[in-house]
Amino acid sequence: MERPAWAPPGIDISVPSVSRMYDFYLGGSHNFEVDREAARKAMEFMPGLPKVMQANRAFMRRAVRYAVAEGVTQFLDIGSGIPTFGNVHEVATAATPDARVVYVDHDPVAVAHSRAVLAGEDRAAVVAADLRKPREILDSPEVRQLLDLERPVALLLVAVLHFLEDEDDPRAAVAELLDALAPGSLLVLTHASYEGIPLTQGQAEGTVGVYRQIRNPLVMRSHAEISRFFDGCEQVEPGLVSMPEWRPESPVEEEDPYAFSGFAGVGRKA
């Protein structure tokens, strides 16, 4: 397999990556055939996966604009993936020149491409780190230099928590991150769930099985389980809802049925 020029040396390009699969779903070009093959297998069971990812991105953009309107201009985006058009720093800086963004991912391709995209940006940076180790993120030079944790920060966990299994204790990781942030900070998240998918659970389990086979288990949690990530926060209206239903900017009835898969919400730290 030929290694593209943008692929950093040392990574195994024979193993699928969830961030590169996400890039493929969104129509990006920073993915390998192994990623496309895994994504196509997942789409055999759930053909609307690209619509789910597009709904994720659209929610993220609305949430960033909401944060800026609320006076929050600092963003910590964990599990940020490979930058595509309309990413956090683009949306945030379009809303305010004061925006500062730190992206965090553990995929070397996502990190390398983010650094290339952000070259010359003095208000955005990327950290190679894992959500399972919040302290490494909080203590990173990029976070210390760009973000003032004494002021509110928008913590973005978009389409990432469902890749942490219960034994990883994702709620503890979220709690540790929130504990380090100032009152008034926002928690912005989306999470996969069997609820809302326009398929039977048995059909959707086929997609879950594909992710399990590539050793990136997709953990589908219930509305009640996802709500617990907001412990210590007051959920912003309309609460934890399907992605198109969170402060929509266009008629919800025009959305693809797959866009209603899973949940999205924003909480404010007291």
Side-chain angles (χ1 to χ4, degrees), residues 66-78:
Y66 169 81
V68 172
E70 293 291 303
V72 180
T73 59
Q74 303 186 103
F75 299 86
L76 180 57
D77 184 2
I78 302 178

Side-chain angles (χ1 to χ4, degrees), residues 161-222:
L161 287 167
H162 46 234
F163 291 114
L164 270 62
E165 298 182 88
D166 289 342
E167 50 263 42
D168 294 319
D169 205 352
R171 276 188 284 277
V174 174
E176 184 174 349
L177 288 162
L178 283 172
D179 187 58
L181 303 183
S185 292
L186 300 176
L187 171 60
V188 178
L189 68 80
T190 65
H191 198 297
S193 177
Y194 286 120
E195 299 172 45
I197 298 177
L199 299 170
T200 67
Q201 182 168 329
Q203 290 172 307
E205 282 175 353
T207 291
V208 173
V210 172
Y211 281 90
R212 191 179 302 115
Q213 288 169 8
I214 66 170
R215 298 182 181 178
N216 280 283
L218 179 59
V219 183
M220 308 292 261
R221 295 187 172 96
S222 67

Side-chain angles (χ1 to χ4, degrees), residues 87-127:
N87 215 320
V88 174
H89 73 282
E90 294 175 331
V91 178
T93 53
T96 174
D98 298 325
R100 294 174 181 267
V101 180
V102 176
Y103 293 109
V104 181
D105 208 287
H106 64 83
D107 184 316
V109 169
V111 172
H113 192 54
S114 297
R115 285 178 175 148
V117 168
L118 298 174
E121 291 274 357
D122 59 358
R123 292 179 177 266
V126 60
V127 177

